[in-house]
Amino acid sequence: MLKDKYVFAQLVKFLDNDKFRHIVDKYDGDKYVKSYTCWNQLLTMMFGQLSNRESLRDLIVALEAHAGKVYHLGIGKSVTRSNLSKANEQRDYRIFEEFAFFMIAEARRRRIQKISELDGHVYAFDSTTTDLCLSVFEWAKFRRHKGGIKMHTLYDVEAQVPAFVHITQAKVHDSKAMPEIPYEKGAHYIFDRGYNDFGNLYTINRIEAFFVVRAKTNVRF
């Protein structure tokens, strides 16, 4: 008989439960909730991500296949597709966003190491597009018959983890996300040619930071 904790439970130990509860209280996330809490919701979505589930139905089927272990994983007993979909729809996304940024900061603090002789942090900024079903996510219209969102990520090259994430509709041009970046004085920012926006690049120069950007063939400066 297995006596050690499940791998998933061991991963959960790295999460700061007290910090998460504080954030939940801040946004009244568990107000009027009897059983399926924000913590249960977080672990459910983590399980789905780590097990590569492609839909809520797929996720629930996977959990039902391990029904005897779900409670011991901390996910709770009342995980149904209706409970999960209702929680995802109604609960404040800022709970999970704020906790994600907290965990990102913790990971960066523990992993950061100098790999160059440059002063200040070194960041790379780029985006990736995720397709969405247009009939379900009408607000995410990308093309005529296609929906999607775009995740703009500031990557800490030295810590090798994301430092900042900003999500927009897929039709938003990459350069439009540049004002959202939390710039730091003395840091270095690396961009692809889609970020040739002189106004935003000048902002970086003004705060005494530095940038490297691939030039377009028709660039004039």
Side-chain angles (χ1 to χ4, degrees):
M1 179 181 290
L2 179 66
K3 295 183 179 180
D4 294 332
K5 287 189 175 182
Y6 295 112
V7 173
F8 184 80
Q10 294 177 47
L11 292 174
V12 170
K13 285 182 63 178
F14 289 102
L15 303 180
D16 191 328
N17 191 292
D18 291 335
K19 177 65 177 181
F20 185 78
R21 291 179 186 278
H22 174 75
I23 297 172
V24 170
D25 292 341
K26 176 180 176 181
Y27 295 105
D28 290 328
D30 284 340
K31 194 173 183 179
Y32 306 123
V33 174
K34 294 181 179 178
S35 57
Y36 194 63
T37 66
C38 290
W39 180 253
N40 298 143
Q41 181 187 0
L42 173 67
L43 299 193
T44 303
M45 298 305 292
M46 278 181 56
F47 180 87
Q49 188 72 26
L50 294 172
S51 59
N52 200 28
R53 300 301 96 193
E54 296 183 351
S55 66
L56 292 187
R57 185 187 300 276
D58 188 20
L59 171 55
I60 295 303
V61 168
L63 289 172
E64 288 176 347
H66 300 283
K69 306 170 187 174
V70 170
Y71 177 78
H72 299 287
L73 294 177
I75 295 176
K77 292 182 177 180
S78 50
V79 187
T80 63
R81 191 156 63 95
S82 60
N83 276 356
L84 180 57
S85 60
K86 188 182 295 184
N88 287 345
E89 180 182 10
Q90 297 180 352
R91 288 178 182 165
D92 198 324
Y93 75 91
R94 292 176 296 179
I95 295 171
F96 307 98
E97 181 184 61
E98 192 169 316
F99 186 63
F101 283 134
F102 167 78
M103 293 302 298
I104 284 173
E106 286 292 294
R108 289 182 64 202
R109 183 175 61 83
R110 294 168 185 264
R111 284 183 51 85
I112 195 163
Q113 55 182 326
K114 296 300 292 183
I115 61 175
S116 69
E117 297 181 2
L118 298 172
D119 294 329
H121 293 112
V122 181
Y123 298 105
F125 191 68
D126 207 350
S127 69
T128 184
T129 301
T130 301
D131 294 335
L132 295 176
C133 178
L134 191 56
S135 62
V136 178
F137 302 95
E138 297 179 359
W139 54 267
K141 188 172 183 179
F142 182 27
R143 297 195 175 96
R144 187 173 180 181
H145 300 294
K146 189 176 182 180
I149 58 171
K150 188 177 285 187
M151 184 168 71
H152 309 266
T153 305
L154 184 68
Y155 186 75
D156 188 331
V157 176
E158 295 172 316
Q160 299 181 36
V161 294
F164 174 76
V165 174
H166 179 63
I167 298 175
T168 65
Q169 292 177 262
K171 63 183 179 181
V172 174
H173 192 272
D174 288 350
S175 63
K176 300 297 183 182
M178 294 177 74
E180 305 296 331
I181 299 175
Y183 295 112
E184 301 172 6
K185 180 179 179 180
H188 299 75
Y189 298 89
I190 305 168
F191 299 100
D192 204 348
R193 65 181 54 163
Y195 298 92
N196 269 278
D197 184 296
F198 289 166
N200 284 307
L201 294 176
Y202 180 56
T203 298
I204 299 174
N205 182 68
R206 251 186 353 200
I207 66 168
E208 299 180 24
F210 307 91
F211 64 84
V212 177
V213 61
R214 291 181 64 194
K216 293 183 178 179
T217 55
N218 62 345
V219 67
R220 298 179 65 184
F221 63 94

